[in-house]
Amino acid sequence: MTPENTSPGRWPAPDAPAATAAPAPRFSLLGPVRAWSGTAEIDLGSPQQRALLAILLLRRDQPVPCEHAVRALWGDTAPRSADTTVRTYVYRLRRLLGDLAGGAPEIRKQGGGYLLTAGGATLDTELFRDLLARGREARDRSDRGAALGHLRDALALWRGTPFGEADTPYFTAERERWEQLRSAATEELAAVQIGLGRYAEAVAMLETALAGRPLWEKLWELRIRALAGLGRRADALAAYQDARRLLHTELGLEPGPGLRELHRGILALEPPAPAAPAVPPADHVGEPPRPPADFVGRTAELAALAERLTSPDGMVVMSLSGPAGTGKTALALRAAHDLRSHFPDGRLYARLGAPDGTPRPPEDVLAELLTALGVPAAGLPAPAAERAALWRRTTDGRRLLLVLDDVVPGARPDPLLPVSPGCAVLLVGRRPLDGVPATALDGLTLADALQLLGAVVGHERLRHEAEPSARLVSTCDYRPGPLRAAAARLLADPRRSVREVERELRTGAGTGPVELRLGRPPARGGHPPHGVCPRAVAAGAHAADARRDSDAGRMSVQWRST
């Protein structure tokens, strides 16, 4: 699908002049779903019609059953008229594509669905994969200059969040897969930059990447290497401590072998200089961040949160508690996202814990919350009691959802609680609060743990190592945090086996308090006993793979009796 008037794999700028009378159409999925014919952008219709085109482009030259398109567009909330709506979208897209020249894609009906043939069109997802492959080939033959160019071009194709605003389980899973590829390309570009001595460029890019994936160990490793390359060894040592503290706080893990060896190497070059005091980053106050793209399961917990937080019985306060790595914040963000229509005056998010684990002063949090609601900073009173009174007056009569995350011991949420009967507060921390109704989180079910791991590293990889995959999710205690950390280690080196990473985690090589649970009764109903049947795990992984196209509750894994 590479057009003749461009260099191999290069995405032409939307405003580039056409080189032929009938340039090939170009489609972009690595951001909002858009298309161009020559220099003119094509109006692709409504967001949902664009989403259907994205589905067909992702599965180009493969039939897409109508029921698959319906589930991808609506998830479990498809209306009765969904089939008719899909047919209408297809009719409109056919007319749009039919008016294009230069080998435009064609949509044909096949069986009970539709098939899009690519024609001569250019698709940025294909160009990204092609450039990434070329960059890796150039790196493997030690042509760093060519690798640098290809990888830069690959990352330049990204124009925002993949697939735009499409927000169903199908697009959530697809979006996470492409974001994983983007992170891999970022890693490889940073490694090439470091190899060429372009340390400052690498540091700047890696700081941006870590803002989006702060638990990705390889990004920390590369950032520390780049800082050391600039001669900033004190900063490199401080960055290692930041990474270690973050991994331990969020996941209960110690850094992996790569980070630890890098740390020892820097220490060997120069006695450790005292690290500069960590500057607390600006907390995210205002609209809650989007929930993780790989969020899975928690159906019962989401239903319980929705029921309690939308209770008509006055102002609601409840807490969400659980050990590190159980996905408390992800669940809170998912609930806040799902309940946005119930709180028309907004949803606010703030953290009550500082980076060093101490509680933040409530007056500081109040200042940020009031600013988020439009109160000018110059108009904020200094005394904490006056700020609390202003907060109560400002929120009076509003319908707000307030998510207070990282409620550490000693934190004081009371001054932050609104009094309006239309408000709700969700307190998130490791321990439940006395007198506050609580939902306690444990690990995921086996099915959801396999789904989360497979969504990141690929379900085919799990099927090839069925029993080690089951042991790995058990070693991670079925918790999303350790599972993501294990997935990051698998992605960092595709040659490493699931069995190798599982053994490393189980024996404590680079882990914190993680223990193997196989061989004793599970702590909750969804966890399997020992005696894993590899064939059953493979079936489970296959079901998890298909789960993008089916209801989450249909996945089942059978276990051999012992």
Side-chain angles (χ1 to χ4, degrees):
M1 288 178 63
T2 302
E4 293 180 358
N5 61 322
T6 65
S7 59
R10 186 177 297 276
W11 177 255
D15 55 354
T20 65
R26 293 172 282 119
F27 294 86
S28 176
L29 303 183
L30 299 177
V33 180
R34 301 171 68 186
W36 294 270
S37 178
T39 61
E41 183 167 0
I42 304 163
D43 183 358
L44 296 175
S46 68
Q48 204 160 36
Q49 185 168 299
R50 292 170 183 261
L52 177 61
L53 178 60
I55 296 165
L56 296 172
L57 286 168
L58 287 170
R59 300 269 299 259
R60 61 204 170 281
D61 299 320
Q62 302 175 45
V64 177
C66 187
E67 57 269 23
H68 171 90
V70 167
R71 285 193 299 271
L73 289 173
W74 285 281
D76 297 330
T77 61
R80 292 184 178 179
S81 60
D83 289 358
T84 302
T85 303
V86 168
R87 287 196 293 271
T88 301
Y89 291 156
V90 169
Y91 170 76
R92 293 173 181 169
L93 289 171
R94 278 174 170 165
R95 293 188 61 183
L96 283 172
L97 298 177
D99 292 338
L100 303 180
E106 178 185 357
I107 302 175
R108 298 199 301 261
K109 188 169 180 59
Q110 180 163 320
Y114 304 95
L115 182 144
L116 181 145
T117 56
T122 306
L123 182 58
D124 63 352
T125 49
E126 281 196 352
L127 294 178
F128 175 79
R129 286 186 179 276
D130 178 62
L131 283 163
L132 183 56
R134 289 171 179 269
R136 287 169 171 169
E137 290 171 3
R139 176 205 61 194
D140 291 344
R141 63 174 185 267
S142 300
D143 187 351
R144 288 175 176 167
L148 183 74
H150 291 316
L151 293 169
R152 275 180 172 170
D153 287 344
L155 289 168
L157 294 171
W158 288 72
R159 301 172 184 273
T161 302
F163 320 117
E165 300 177 358
D167 187 20
T168 64
Y170 171 85
F171 282 106
T172 294
E174 287 291 340
R175 188 174 288 120
E176 177 61 17
R177 272 188 284 277
W178 285 98
E179 289 286 4
Q180 294 283 354
L181 283 173
R182 183 184 193 179
S183 294
T186 301
E187 285 181 17
E188 297 186 32
L189 175 56
V192 171
Q193 288 172 329
I194 291 170
L196 291 170
R198 301 181 180 222
Y199 302 117
E201 293 178 24
V203 168
M205 183 180 67
L206 289 164
E207 287 176 350
T208 301
L210 278 166
R213 291 190 177 272
L215 300 178
W216 200 282
E217 287 187 61
K218 187 63 175 179
L219 295 176
W220 281 106
E221 181 180 333
L222 290 165
R223 180 170 178 247
I224 292 168
R225 287 187 186 279
L227 288 169
L230 287 171
R232 296 165 54 185
R233 291 196 177 93
D235 290 337
L237 292 168
Y240 173 82
Q241 294 302 330
D242 289 342
R244 184 175 183 272
R245 180 167 52 250
L246 184 67
L247 290 168
H248 187 270
T249 301
E250 297 295 329
L251 307 177
L253 296 176
E254 290 295 324
L259 268 175
R260 296 201 313 276
E261 290 172 13
L262 178 59
H263 181 236
R264 285 194 294 268
I266 295 173
L267 288 174
L269 289 172
E270 180 177 290
V279 178
D283 285 23
H284 189 139
V285 180
E287 277 288 302
R290 291 181 65 89
D294 58 5
F295 183 90
V296 297
R298 304 300 195 194
T299 304
E301 292 91 339
L302 281 170
L305 288 176
E307 181 179 1
R308 295 179 187 178
L309 292 172
T310 58
S311 171
D313 302 329
M315 204 271 290
V316 178
V317 181
M318 64 173 301
S319 72
L320 182 62
S321 63
T326 50
K328 301 180 294 297
T329 297
L331 176 59
L333 295 178
R334 181 78 242 181
H337 179 76
D338 292 347
L339 296 176
R340 58 192 182 279
S341 62
H342 292 273
F343 298 96
D345 294 319
R347 299 156 296 145
L348 298 175
Y349 172 89
R351 298 180 69 91
L352 300 193
D356 61 0
T358 60
R360 299 180 64 211
E363 56 268 29
D364 291 354
V365 183
L366 281 168
E368 293 169 341
L369 290 171
L370 285 164
T371 303
L373 288 181
V375 178
L380 294 176
E386 293 184 21
R387 286 189 182 180
L390 178 60
W391 167 249
R392 289 192 292 271
R393 291 195 302 272
T394 304
T395 57
D396 187 30
R398 300 197 186 194
R399 296 189 52 141
L400 292 166
L401 174 61
L402 179 60
V403 178
L404 297 177
D405 197 2
D406 197 19
V407 182
V408 297
R412 296 173 51 208
D414 289 354
L416 311 174
L417 303 183
V419 296
S420 175
C423 292
V425 180
L426 180 57
L427 302 166
V428 184
R430 294 191 183 181
R431 299 177 180 85
L433 299 177
D434 293 338
V436 178
T439 293
L441 280 193
D442 199 349
L444 297 167
T445 64
L446 168 68
D448 289 332
L450 283 173
Q451 165 66 8
L452 189 153
L453 186 63
V456 178
V457 305
H459 295 294
E460 189 66 27
R461 193 168 181 181
L462 301 192
R463 283 195 288 270
H464 288 159
E465 294 189 80
E467 187 166 1
S469 297
R471 292 177 65 86
L472 178 58
V473 298
S474 179
T475 299
C476 292
D477 213 14
Y478 305 90
R479 297 181 186 179
L483 282 168
R484 290 189 181 98
R489 294 187 183 186
L490 287 166
L491 285 174
D493 186 355
R495 295 167 297 183
R496 299 183 72 191
S497 67
V498 175
R499 185 184 303 275
E500 181 181 353
V501 171
E502 186 277 325
R503 186 184 301 114
E504 177 183 289
L505 294 176
R506 173 164 45 85
T507 57
T511 71
V514 179
E515 61 179 346
L516 181 64
R517 284 188 170 276
L518 293 179
R520 72 167 184 262
R524 63 195 298 260
H527 297 173
H530 69 289
V532 177
C533 173
R535 199 168 44 176
V537 180
H542 176 73
D545 195 18
R547 192 169 128 178
R548 294 169 304 186
D549 308 328
S550 63
D551 184 79
R554 295 177 188 170
M555 177 176 175
S556 63
V557 179
Q558 302 298 319
W559 299 95
R560 183 179 63 210
S561 60
T562 58

